[in-house]
Amino acid sequence: MTEPSENNTPSRRALLGWGGAGLALGAVAAGGAVAATRAGDDAEPAGTDTGAAIPFHGERQAGIATPVQDRLHFAAFDVRTEDRDAFVQMLKDWTEAARRMTAGQAVGDGAYGGLAEAPPDDTGEALGLKPSRLTLTIGFGPSFFDKFGERFGIADARPEALTELPKFAGDNLDRDRSGGDLCVQACADDPQVAVHAIRNLARIGFGKVVVRWSQLGFGKTSSTTPDAQTPRNLFGFKDGTRNISGTETDRLDRHVWVGEKDGPAWMTGGSYLVARRIRMHIETWDRTPLQEQEDIFGRSKGEGAPVGKAKERDKPFLKAMLPDAHVRLAHPDSNGGATILRRGYSFTDGTDGLGRLDAGLFFLAYQRDPRTGFVRIQRNLAKDALNEYIQHVGSALFAVPPGVRDKDDWWGSTLFGKEA
Ligand code: HEM
């Protein structure tokens, strides 16, 4: 990463995606492309400079309202040290590494040329790659306060909104893929850049934190840029049509950013992240008639138009949809106005041993308060027709603090005190 690449064409790695996973889904993606060409009405994706650097410093953490990148590596960590100073120092070291990696630079003194007797500061696999719009976003889980609130002297700073999510109808959660004291969401347009970032943070955290679980995502399922072509999820439907856009500052203030009076001051300007690993039963879906598929979402498969309307962006008329249609039940009008910013990714982690793809949606949603955001909507989705085809198998909640302001600031400074 120290040397900017001269080559503007996407790398072979970027095209192939996650090794076998990318190849396995190549078939799905190719099928979608063929259908789009046949229907002749899907526009080309809007051009983005996929190699650019996204500023790390700012009022908000990048990776929330930022236009969604193509790839994800998400990691949840458990804290292993009981030493407050050591933990704070790790957050500072993480910040410095994140500052460098998001700018396309190697960690510390780089991957080579240093002491022959010591392992290099950077692991090296991102050398020569562009910044690829890498964003790194940190969050603190409820268990962090359960375990370390008293010991680290921050128990009083725990937000009321940071309480474990309730159990929902149909949940089949795997403990080993749920929870976490900390999380880091790495998004980038090159998968190797995202993986490199998480790997190097885990390495810096050695002895202080361990990775509890992690998830790779290969295809964005939501857009925060309405001008771009809406991406499709693994059920083949446009996903993210009615999402909050990254430029709608009013809606972001109302529904995504934590306000001054919402709770402890350290979270002002931050957000709450709900992560759910949702398995999608692709094989069953693929045997479901088109009409039924469209009824389940309440939108058409080709255009993505709401029932009874012609165009994707036409205002949905909810009463025209079946009572258990996903869009009808998830829409703000069915949830007292509840609105979330979705930023999820498709995943496929090989097969499940029964000949089925272990695939689905790694659902990520940001909101001002999870109780009036995700929880409200997910409860209403108990009667969703989609539930026959999906199952929630992992779950986590994180308080995502505001941004790192400048070169002297660090992740968590609002929680631990700038002088810590
Ligand atoms: C695998 C699971 C899921 C799939 C495949 C899926 C797919 C979709 C699709 C295709 C749309 C219509 C296009 C759009 O407006 O984005 C949609 C809308 C939406 N979904 Fe989901 N979704 C899933 C899970 C969830 C969950 C768990 C939630 C929240 C608890 C959720 C909340 C929403 C919301 C808020 C909308 C927009 C409704 C509107 O304003 O019209 N979805 N989803």
Side-chain angles (χ1 to χ4, degrees), residues 74-78 140-144 147 164-165 173-183 211-214 275 362 393-398:
F74 189 95
F77 296 86
D78 278 340
F140 296 87
S143 58
F144 178 68
K147 293 187 242 170
E164 295 290 355
L165 295 174
L173 303 183
D174 177 352
R175 251 198 104 257
D176 296 337
R177 288 191 199 248
S178 299
D181 298 340
L182 294 177
C183 76
V211 176
R212 179 180 171 86
W213 55 271
S214 79
F362 189 63
V393 293
S395 174
L397 169 69
F398 300 97

Side-chain angles (χ1 to χ4, degrees), residues 202-237:
R203 186 168 171 273
I204 293 168
F206 183 75
K208 273 122 4 204
V209 293
V210 290
V211 176
R212 179 180 171 86
W213 55 271
S214 79
Q215 181 68 53
L216 299 177
F218 67 85
K220 57 186 172 188
T221 59
S222 268
S223 156
T224 53
T225 37
D227 296 344
Q229 176 181 288
T230 311
R232 289 179 185 268
N233 60 35
L234 291 185
F235 284 163
F237 277 72

